[in-house]
């Protein structure tokens, strides 16, 4: 008998009644007094002066954990409500309430962090030696190291206060500017008015004319407002650089590297290895151009489908496919995922009013996860489902770990998800029912390499060069276009016939003020995860225990130490990165050979 897995998630088991839930109301109301208590504790907390203060610190950390768990439980639940029904007004009210609760928590926590960092060295060392705090050494030292690179508390507070209007405000203005843009495009003989997001989605449309038209109209729209976007980008970068200068930081990469707990040397080794291995992907781009009947690939044809995968899977079949292949890599991954399917942790139904995209969120108090996506039966949906299950498995692996030690950075955040997705994507290629099908699935995989090794590389090159020029003064739109085109030519290894000069205006990631350099961590995560996957292929199901140990350590060591301890690899060397790239090169070569013999 086949078990039927529910396609709609079970949220009622968490808080019954959706956004009208009484239980949720009670939980949110309890948060108020809990926060007050935490704020009092924070105000009372003093700079440790003796080794015996370790106990106070440990107590405070427990309070941080308790408050965090409580806030995250409701925060994650409300996020699920918002995603499952974008029209749920009550949920959006609850969300504002929840964010202001989180903001109160953050500032009380910040005060504690600042007090801790003022501890003198001798006392600090004694604290770190204390048994109650040993477990938290990495995180506590990181708080201290970060704070030491900052200006005085008073000055930093002033910067934070001014950044609301003077920095983050520019990012919000960007969203407004983009929201205003409407594009008129003819699709299937009908003229449609579209938002930027909708027009962007046409980049993978099967009709070449539609792809070209949407690209050109978008490029025109960006060009028309280029001075506004240039002003916005220059202001964001200017604020950031001025802050760095005041803190005495010369390298704009210092902060993003610190956030991702990695060395510049590691970043250089990664891009170095990628730069040396562009040719197989350039060959792929050329092959693709030929298949599309062109003598070179245009920017707007990069995402074009060469052939479409027609194989479809019912949700039940997709779930079984995932479980069958997960099993080969580890009994725990399979068992965990089966539970997620059976217990209704996944929202997959194709219905209106759901928000686009997919995510996985953790409910720490009940130690559960929820996965959100819209499943319509394609192999790529199956891969997305596996991806999100990978995220959930990461949280599962972290369960024995203290809440304070679970905050992993963006560069390792995608390790478990990409790993799970790879298992399924590889199995799909192997199980393809025809050459046609195999080509479509392979291309899906190669497109990721093109995105991570070429497109994101060009974003990184652009951003570093722009920051260098911005140090000397405002960079006008015309120069931004030039920098972007140069970066694209280099990033794509000269493999494209045309560029997208206003890409710098079109990409939201350049305008995110909360995370600087929102690009290289993606490439890092992809390649890092590929090398974990390569190890798993070597070692089979026995690798799982080591794999889970690696996941448990993702938030308590640097990226370099993590790779050394669990993979025995030195990621500051190009040789490490080349191994992951080699797996992707194989896909590109197979694609070329399959499509060459096809005709
Ligand atoms: Zn992900």
């Amino acid at each position: 008998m086949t078990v039927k897995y529910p396609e709609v998630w079970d949220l009622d088991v968490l808080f019954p009644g959706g956004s009208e839930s009484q239980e949720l109301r009670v939980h949110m109301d309890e948060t108020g007094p809990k926060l007050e208590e935490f704020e009092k504790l924070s105000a009372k907390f003093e700079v440790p002066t003796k080794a015996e203060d370790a106990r106070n610190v440990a107590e405070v950390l427990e309070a941080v954990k308790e408050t965090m768990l409580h806030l995250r439980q409701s925060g994650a639940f409300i996020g699920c409500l918002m995603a499952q029904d974008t029209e749920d007004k009550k949920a959006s009210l609850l969300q504002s309430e929840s964010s202001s609760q989180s903001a109160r928590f953050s500032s009380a926590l910040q005060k504690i962090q600042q007090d801790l960092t003022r501890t003198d060295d001798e006392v600090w060392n004694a604290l770190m030696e204390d048994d109650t705090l040993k477990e938290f050494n990495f995180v506590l030292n990181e708080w201290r190291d970060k704070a030491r690179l900052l200006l005085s508390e008073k000055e930093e507070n002033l910067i934070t206060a001014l950044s609301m209007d003077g920095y983050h405000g520019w990012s919000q203005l960007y969203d407004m500017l983009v929201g205003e843009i409407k594009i008129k495009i003819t699709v299937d003989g009908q003229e449609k008015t579209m938002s930027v997001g909708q027009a962007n989605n046409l980049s993978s449309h099967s009709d070449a004319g539609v792809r070209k038209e949407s690209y050109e109209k978008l490029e025109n729209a960006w060009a028309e407002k280029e001075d506004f976007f240039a002003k916005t980008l220059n202001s964001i970068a200017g604020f950031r650089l001025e802050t760095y200068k005041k803190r005495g930081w010369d390298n704009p990469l210092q902060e993003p590297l610190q956030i991702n707990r990695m060395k510049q040397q590691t970043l250089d080794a990664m891009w170095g290895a990628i730069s040396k291995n562009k040719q197989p992907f350039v060959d792929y781009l050329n092959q693709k151009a030929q298949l599309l009947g062109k003598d070179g690939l245009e920017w707007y044809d990069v995402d074009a489908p060469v052939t479409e995968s027609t194989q479809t899977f019912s949700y039940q079949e997709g779930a079984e496919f995932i479980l069958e292949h997960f099993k080969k890599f580890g009994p725990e991954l399979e068992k965990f995922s089966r539970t997620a399917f059976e217990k209704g942790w996944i929202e997959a139904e194709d219905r209106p009013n759901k928000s686009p995209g997919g995510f996985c969120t953790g409910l720490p108090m009940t130690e559960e996860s929820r996965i959100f996506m819209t499943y319509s039966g394609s192999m790529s949906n199956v891969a997305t489902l596996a991806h999100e299950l990978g995220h959930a498995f990461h949280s599962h692996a972290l369960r024995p770990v203290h809440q304070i030690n679970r905050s992993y950075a963006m560069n390792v955040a995608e390790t478990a998800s990409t790993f799970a997705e790879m298992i399924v994507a590889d199995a799909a290629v192997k199980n393809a029912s025809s050459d046609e099908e195999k080509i479509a699935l392979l291309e899906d995989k190669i497109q990721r390499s093109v995105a991570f090794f070429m497109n994101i590389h060009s974003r990184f090159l652009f951003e570093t060069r722009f920051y260098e020029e911005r140090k000397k003064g405002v960079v006008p739109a015309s120069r931004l276009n030039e920098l972007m085109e140069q970066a694209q030519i280099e990033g794509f290894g000269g493999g494209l016939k045309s560029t997208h000069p206003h890409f710098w205006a079109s990409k939201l990631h350049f305008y995110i003020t909360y995370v600087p350099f929102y690009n290289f961590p993606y490439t890092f995560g992809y390649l890092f995860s590929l090398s974990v996957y390569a190890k798993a292929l070597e070692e089979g199901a026995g690798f799982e225990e080591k794999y889970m140990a690696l996941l448990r350590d993702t938030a308590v060591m640097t990226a370099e130490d993590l790779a050394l301890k669990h993979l025995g690899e030195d990621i500051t060397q190009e040789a490490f990165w080349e191994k992951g790239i080699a797996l992707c090169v194989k896909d590109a070569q197979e694609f070329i050979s399959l499509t060459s013999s096809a005709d």
Side-chain angles (χ1 to χ4, degrees):
M1 190 188 82
T2 46
V3 191
K4 182 122 168 67
Y5 304 119
E7 275 185 67
V8 177
W9 58 16
D10 184 358
L11 293 184
D12 278 353
V13 70
L14 302 165
F15 296 103
S19 49
E20 299 292 341
S21 170
Q22 270 312 310
E23 279 81 349
L24 177 65
R25 191 60 262 159
V26 170
H27 181 99
M28 302 278 287
D29 288 343
E30 279 168 6
T31 312
K34 268 186 199 296
L35 274 171
E36 268 161 47
E37 210 177 300
F38 182 67
E39 281 165 336
K40 267 189 217 149
L41 190 71
S42 159
K44 233 176 46 198
F45 188 74
E46 279 171 14
V47 180
T49 53
K50 50 189 185 305
E52 293 69 43
D53 287 337
R55 191 188 290 179
N56 287 344
V57 177
E59 262 170 41
V60 161
L61 292 180
E62 275 319 292
V64 170
K65 172 186 154 182
E66 288 307 316
T67 322
M68 232 166 158
L69 288 179
H70 199 85
L71 283 168
R72 295 228 165 126
Q73 186 75 8
S74 45
F77 179 78
I78 294 163
C80 291
L81 294 178
M82 301 274 296
Q84 71 173 4
D85 179 6
T86 50
E87 319 256 284
D88 189 341
K89 300 237 162 56
K90 185 81 194 284
S92 87
L93 284 176
L94 286 166
Q95 198 179 42
S96 341
E97 189 182 341
S98 165
S99 350
S100 61
Q101 288 178 339
S102 298
R104 276 176 65 187
F105 170 71
S106 297
S107 46
L109 175 61
Q110 225 163 42
K111 156 43 178 84
I112 295 168
Q113 290 172 327
Q114 279 159 350
D115 286 342
L116 278 175
T117 53
R118 282 206 304 272
T119 316
D120 83 38
D121 288 352
E122 216 170 295
V123 176
W124 184 263
N125 292 338
L127 292 179
M128 293 301 104
E129 299 266 301
D130 196 282
D131 277 346
T132 51
L133 296 181
K134 274 218 169 93
E135 181 187 359
F136 308 111
N137 268 5
F138 179 82
V139 173
L140 291 173
N141 278 314
E142 190 177 52
W143 288 355
R144 182 173 169 91
D145 293 344
K146 272 188 184 166
R148 288 193 153 181
L149 293 166
L150 299 177
L151 295 163
S152 71
E153 197 182 329
K154 212 171 150 193
E155 287 167 311
E156 288 292 338
N157 286 342
L158 181 63
I159 293 173
T160 306
L162 294 175
S163 70
M164 288 303 150
D165 291 325
Y167 182 44
H168 303 302
W170 287 103
S171 176
Q172 289 149 9
L173 178 71
Y174 174 80
D175 293 338
M176 284 173 71
L177 285 169
V178 174
E180 292 259 295
I181 298 178
K182 294 281 174 279
I183 315 269
K184 282 197 169 81
I185 301 170
T186 312
V187 185
D188 305 327
Q190 251 192 331
E191 193 185 58
K192 290 183 179 161
T193 305
M194 294 187 175
S195 68
V196 167
Q198 289 171 313
N200 274 334
N201 283 342
L202 296 175
S203 70
S204 57
H205 200 276
S206 58
D207 182 341
V210 171
R211 292 196 302 270
K212 185 165 189 276
E213 188 187 346
S214 65
Y215 165 80
E216 280 168 357
K217 294 222 165 123
L218 278 165
E219 181 58 33
N220 284 341
W222 301 120
E224 217 171 276
K225 291 194 170 158
E226 64 173 7
D227 291 333
F228 295 102
F229 291 116
K231 173 73 188 162
T232 308
L233 191 63
N234 273 282
S235 300
I236 288 172
F239 186 96
R240 210 177 265 169
L241 285 169
E242 195 55 35
T243 307
Y244 291 168
K245 199 166 127 190
K246 292 281 183 291
R247 291 177 184 156
W249 304 357
D250 184 48
N251 182 2
L253 284 168
Q254 180 176 330
E255 189 180 26
L257 286 169
Q258 186 185 51
I259 292 174
N260 288 287
R261 298 166 171 150
M262 62 188 273
K263 291 184 182 151
Q264 172 95 44
Q265 204 189 342
T266 300
L267 183 63
D268 293 342
M270 181 183 88
W271 289 132
I274 288 171
S275 297
K276 285 181 192 143
N277 288 285
K278 300 249 181 201
Q279 196 53 46
F281 303 102
V282 171
D283 294 343
Y284 156 78
L285 295 174
N286 287 332
Q287 179 79 359
K288 181 163 182 167
Q290 249 185 36
L291 293 168
L292 294 171
K294 301 193 174 182
D295 59 355
L297 203 66
E298 308 278 354
W299 178 278
Y300 51 79
D301 285 332
V302 171
D303 295 335
V306 167
T307 163
E308 246 157 319
S309 165
T310 47
Q311 223 175 338
T312 56
F313 300 79
S314 71
Y315 183 69
Q316 309 302 319
E317 287 166 344
E320 289 302 346
F321 187 86
I322 289 172
L323 294 173
E324 180 194 335
H325 294 285
F326 275 4
K327 200 172 171 180
K328 295 177 191 158
F329 282 83
E332 190 65 24
L333 177 60
E334 192 247 3
K335 197 178 112 203
F336 168 80
S337 304
R338 191 176 292 280
T339 308
F341 279 119
E342 285 171 355
K343 286 201 163 167
W345 287 12
I346 303 166
E347 168 56 56
E349 194 183 47
D350 193 349
R351 60 161 193 270
N353 286 342
K354 279 176 73 166
S355 73
F359 66 80
C360 172
T361 190
L363 296 124
M365 283 177 77
T366 41
E367 304 205 317
E368 292 180 26
S369 289
R370 286 297 181 275
I371 286 168
F372 179 86
M373 67 166 301
T374 300
Y375 186 93
S376 51
S378 70
M379 192 62 217
S380 114
N381 289 156
V382 181
T384 303
L385 189 50
H387 179 105
E388 301 306 339
L389 280 164
H391 279 303
F393 188 68
H394 195 169
S395 308
H396 172 68
L398 280 168
R399 239 149 242 163
V401 171
H402 195 280
Q403 187 70 26
I404 300 257
N405 287 335
R406 293 187 196 180
S407 303
Y408 47 78
M410 184 179 167
N411 58 344
V412 292
E414 295 297 335
T415 305
S417 53
T418 313
F419 180 84
E421 193 180 339
M422 273 304 148
I423 295 175
V424 166
D426 258 2
V429 172
K430 290 201 184 90
N431 287 351
S433 51
S434 65
D435 267 0
E436 186 85 351
E437 193 60 39
K438 193 169 192 170
I439 291 165
L441 293 169
L442 259 179
E443 210 203 359
D444 210 51
K445 282 185 77 193
I446 306 164
Q447 287 289 62
R448 282 172 235 180
S449 301
V450 169
F452 293 124
F453 305 157
M454 297 176 134
N455 190 328
I456 291 187
H457 192 199
S458 73
R459 296 181 207 175
F460 174 78
L461 290 171
F462 165 80
E463 204 162 23
T464 37
R465 290 166 188 171
F466 161 61
Y467 269 83
E468 279 318 308
E469 294 200 8
R470 181 65 185 84
K471 281 183 183 170
K472 292 172 215 127
V474 168
V475 185
S478 57
R479 179 62 186 153
L480 290 169
N481 292 336
E482 269 173 31
L483 284 173
M484 195 74 245
E485 289 197 82
Q486 277 170 15
Q488 285 168 347
I489 291 167
E490 202 177 320
F492 282 84
L496 291 184
K497 203 176 156 190
S498 59
T499 51
H500 181 354
H502 285 90
F503 186 81
W504 60 269
S506 78
K507 197 75 214 168
L508 162 78
H509 292 178
F510 294 126
Y511 299 82
I512 295 177
T513 41
Y514 288 96
V515 187
F517 278 79
Y518 207 84
N519 40 56
F520 70 83
Y522 276 121
T523 307
F524 180 105
Y526 178 63
L527 275 175
F528 186 74
S529 153
L530 277 183
S531 76
V532 176
Y533 182 60
K535 265 255 165 1
L537 286 176
E538 261 171 54
E539 302 192 15
F543 181 66
E544 189 170 50
E545 224 168 283
K546 290 184 210 166
Y547 173 56
M548 289 184 76
L550 178 146
L551 294 178
R552 273 195 293 276
D553 273 345
T554 39
V556 290
M557 52 183 72
T558 63
E560 288 82 12
D561 288 347
L562 187 70
L564 197 62
K565 179 175 172 190
H566 295 285
L567 303 172
E569 297 277 2
D570 179 1
I571 64 172
T572 62
Q573 301 302 313
E574 286 185 10
F576 166 77
W577 301 99
E578 272 170 355
K579 280 189 257 182
I581 300 169
L583 288 176
C584 307
V585 167
K586 260 199 222 149
D587 290 336
Q589 285 165 342
E590 194 179 355
F591 176 89
I592 292 173
S593 89
L594 274 176
T595 49
S596 305
S597 54
D599 35 36

